[in-house]
Amino acid sequence: MHMADALVSPAVAAGAGVAAAALIGVAAHKVKTIRRENIIPLMGVMGAFVFAAQMINFSIPGTGSSGHVIGGVLLAAVLGPWAAFLTLCSVLIIQCLVFADGGLLALGCNILNMAATSCLIAYPLIYKPIAGANAGAGRIFVGALLASVVGLEIGALGVTAETELSGITALPTSVFLSFMLPIHLAIGAVEGVATGAVLCFVAKYRPETLTANARGAYDRGNRRRFRRLLVIFGAGTLVLASAFTWLASANPDGLEWSISKVAGLTEFTSKALPTAVMPEYNSTFAGVIGAVLVMTMLWAISTLLFHSLRRAEVPSRTKK
């Protein structure tokens, strides 16, 4: 669902960019005040895992289209919505700047359509009420499935609305929407099944992880409880990034497929950014490199956030 610059006008890009930047600022403040410093490595590993998972496009049978997971619901269930939003934003930024996956002008739109819809809308409004705390596998799976579908559908609506407001393409809104919603319904269903399976696994072997938002499972006294989880997701990242990318479908993704159906285009992409080191992931080690970059970016951001929090707390303690 990564939008290209060719779909977005400067005005719409600016509005989406301001909104995305404001949400990132709120997320940074929320994460800074979580007071769980051990969440930093988990954000890094989970961000790398989602980056690697997004590289694997899966075919949608009978359509000639493909899709990939967004990962927002998974991240929010493990990290909490604001830490998840910041993590997924880091993934999208690395994808844009290093791999030219999504336009720079459209980056704000992509953050709203993928990160905000899944982490800040679908998770708190759909997944959390269904799954709740200490939920069984059935409720976790249903919550993940419905939240993933809703997140993708809202994102598809966002893409259509932003394209219409931009007014620089000749895509009829009603026809465009008639392709976008069904194909992303199918993509969301596949992501929901995958997300539900992963979360059920986590709930079985590390149930405290899914209730960390409520009772601070990542404080220093519980480091050993999630260390194995870090190893599992880290190993999963390496496997996905190095061994399974060859399974990715060559079919156009849901957005490109919808455009081709409406406009009769076989390709609808923007030029790679001059800063893009590996446009279109044209390296055997693109997955591993991208995962490492995401982890590094999240570690740097999180470290700065917690360092600034500690500096702010020192004067207040001194006054006491």
Side-chain angles (χ1 to χ4, degrees), residues 83-108:
F85 176 76
L86 198 59
T87 300
L88 192 48
C89 285
S90 299
V91 172
L92 294 173
I93 291 170
I94 293 295
Q95 288 174 333
C96 174
L97 297 181
V98 180
F99 301 98
D101 193 359
L104 181 60
L105 188 67
L107 181 58

Side-chain angles (χ1 to χ4, degrees), residues 161-185:
E162 290 151 4
T163 303
E164 173 65 18
L165 289 172
S166 294
I168 59 177
T169 66
L171 299 174
T173 302
S174 59
V175 180
F176 189 30
L177 198 61
S178 70
F179 285 104
M180 284 289 286
L181 291 181
I183 196 65
H184 285 94
L185 175 64

Side-chain angles (χ1 to χ4, degrees), residues 43-306:
M43 287 175 64
V45 171
M46 292 300 298
F49 180 81
V50 167
F51 176 90
Q54 284 195 16
M55 290 186 64
I56 305 176
N57 281 43
F58 48 84
S59 296
I60 305 299
T63 66
S65 175
S66 68
H68 64 76
V69 302
I70 301 299
V73 175
L74 172 64
L75 291 173
V78 175
L79 300 171
W82 291 106
F85 176 76
L86 198 59
T87 300
L88 192 48
C89 285
S90 299
V91 172
L92 294 173
I93 291 170
I94 293 295
Q95 288 174 333
C96 174
L97 297 181
V98 180
F99 301 98
D101 193 359
L104 181 60
L105 188 67
L107 181 58
C109 294
N110 288 327
I111 287 175
L112 295 181
N113 297 336
M114 289 186 276
T117 57
S118 58
C119 300
L120 305 182
I121 297 177
Y123 170 77
L125 298 182
I126 306 297
Y127 177 84
K128 198 170 181 180
I130 294 174
N134 302 316
R139 287 169 56 191
I140 290 173
F141 189 87
V142 171
L145 177 61
L146 294 179
S148 297
V149 169
V150 169
L152 263 293
E153 291 291 84
I154 297 176
L157 284 171
V159 170
T160 307
E162 290 151 4
T163 303
E164 173 65 18
L165 289 172
S166 294
I168 59 177
T169 66
L171 299 174
T173 302
S174 59
V175 180
F176 189 30
L177 198 61
S178 70
F179 285 104
M180 284 289 286
L181 291 181
I183 196 65
H184 285 94
L185 175 64
I187 294 171
V190 175
E191 173 167 5
V193 171
T195 301
V198 173
L199 290 179
C200 286
F201 171 83
V202 174
K204 181 176 181 180
Y205 293 100
R206 285 293 180 271
E208 69 278 357
T209 303
L210 301 185
T211 57
N213 304 333
R215 57 189 180 86
Y218 301 118
D219 59 19
R220 294 177 180 176
N222 291 318
R223 283 183 178 180
R224 293 182 179 179
R225 292 188 178 184
F226 71 96
R227 188 172 297 166
R228 185 174 297 179
L229 190 67
L230 292 178
V231 173
I232 291 173
F233 277 108
T237 300
L238 290 175
V239 171
L240 290 175
S242 59
F244 281 92
T245 52
W246 62 274
L247 292 174
S249 172
N251 292 334
D253 67 15
L255 174 56
E256 294 171 340
W257 177 84
S258 298
I259 292 172
S260 69
K261 290 295 184 181
V262 176
L265 300 175
T266 57
E267 186 176 0
F268 200 89
T269 57
S270 58
K271 293 182 179 179
L273 297 171
T275 57
V277 180
M278 288 173 283
E280 302 300 322
Y281 306 97
N282 60 1
S283 170
T284 305
F285 302 102
V288 175
I289 293 171
V292 171
L293 289 175
V294 169
M295 290 181 66
T296 302
M297 182 177 183
L298 284 165
W299 175 83
I301 292 173
S302 302
T303 300
L304 287 173
L305 289 175
F306 284 110

